Amino acid sequence: MESEAIGTAASNSDFSLLSLVFDADPIVKLVLLCLLAASVWSWMVIAEKTFSLGGARKKAKQFEDAFWTGRTEDFDMRPGQVAGDAASRVFASAAREWSDAKRALSQPTEAAAIVSRAERSMRAAVDREISKAGSGLGVLATIGSASPFIGLFGTVWGIMNAFLNIAAQQDTSLGTVAGPIAEALFATGMGLVAAIPAVIFYNKFTSDLTKFGDQLDTFSQDVLVRLSRRASDAARD
């Protein structure tokens, strides 16, 4: 008899996804809405970073290839005349130092000072580029860490409603607790749906950003080596 009653209660209840959401407690609805918004936001950031970070690395590589196949001893704004990518902007910071100081260059100490200023300028340029490329990653970190706890709040609220229904109706049948428990589990699932992609892509983009920073650092060090040689030759001349 008990199994038949449970079957009858379950058959009379609509547990479709839409009905579950629309019939949910207002607090659970708010939790689900927040998690849905967080998931959409994270995917927007993921899409933007996939194209922007990948494009930045590709353009920087193209500039490096164009630069080193040209006149590597000439530090005028040669292919970096229009600084349209990260590597060209890093180079432009050293090119400005060289352009401002080369006319007064007459002693080895002045050559060392030029290289030192160029190094600081390029280091600042690299930091700016990394900060620019990494903007938005904090959103993924926040969503990845906060979403499971927001979902857990909805879970706790739904289970609390299940116990309140039992107390109010003095009935422990499936029909009494199925709805609130289903809401609770759905909130948990939504929290994971929002958090898992955010965490995965945050780790991926952090790794890509580290590689991008290493790429710019290597390029800047190569530029400094050639700038040092060029400045020393000019000081001797």
Side-chain angles (χ1 to χ4, degrees):
M1 295 295 293
E2 183 179 356
S3 61
E4 292 179 359
I6 293 174
T8 303
S11 63
N12 292 334
S13 300
D14 184 6
F15 288 110
S16 66
L17 183 61
L18 288 178
S19 65
L20 184 66
V21 172
F22 288 128
D23 295 339
D25 182 88
I27 299 298
V28 177
K29 285 181 180 178
L30 180 61
V31 168
L32 294 176
L33 183 62
C34 290
L35 291 173
L36 178 62
S39 181
V40 172
W41 191 7
S42 69
W43 279 109
M44 290 174 62
V45 174
I46 288 168
E48 191 274 332
K49 284 299 160 192
T50 298
F51 289 103
S52 64
L53 192 53
R57 295 183 63 188
K58 182 178 179 181
K59 289 180 180 179
K61 184 64 169 62
Q62 290 174 344
F63 178 86
E64 291 182 49
D65 293 341
F67 181 81
W68 297 124
T69 55
R71 297 172 297 159
T72 58
E73 300 302 326
D74 185 357
F75 280 89
D76 293 329
M77 284 291 291
R78 203 200 356 92
Q81 199 86 40
V82 178
D85 58 85
S88 66
R89 287 189 287 267
V90 170
F91 169 75
S93 63
R96 283 193 296 269
E97 292 295 334
W98 171 247
S99 178
D100 293 342
K102 66 180 180 179
R103 296 180 181 84
L105 188 59
S106 60
Q107 297 180 2
T109 55
E110 294 174 350
I114 291 175
V115 174
S116 178
R117 289 197 299 270
E119 182 177 11
R120 291 194 297 270
S121 181
M122 294 181 77
R123 180 68 262 172
V126 169
D127 290 342
R128 285 194 298 270
E129 294 300 329
I130 297 300
S131 178
K132 179 180 178 181
S135 62
L137 291 186
V139 172
L140 296 182
T142 301
I143 292 175
S145 60
S147 293
F149 295 101
I150 297 175
L152 182 61
F153 173 76
T155 302
V156 172
W157 193 270
I159 292 175
M160 182 185 69
N161 284 336
F163 283 110
L164 290 176
N165 286 349
I166 291 174
Q169 301 181 25
Q170 297 295 313
D171 183 8
T172 60
S173 66
L174 179 62
T176 302
V177 299
I181 290 180
E183 297 170 11
L185 296 177
F186 189 62
T188 302
M190 278 296 296
L192 296 177
V193 166
I196 290 174
V199 171
I200 291 175
F201 280 96
Y202 173 80
N203 291 332
K204 178 188 182 301
F205 292 142
T206 300
S207 177
D208 291 344
L209 195 63
T210 300
K211 294 177 182 178
F212 184 48
D214 292 341
Q215 179 183 355
L216 294 180
D217 280 334
T218 301
F219 174 65
S220 65
Q221 292 302 315
D222 288 340
V223 171
L224 285 173
V225 169
R226 287 154 177 79
L227 178 61
S228 177
R229 183 168 60 242
R230 183 70 181 88
S232 298
D233 292 343
R236 284 195 297 269
D237 296 341

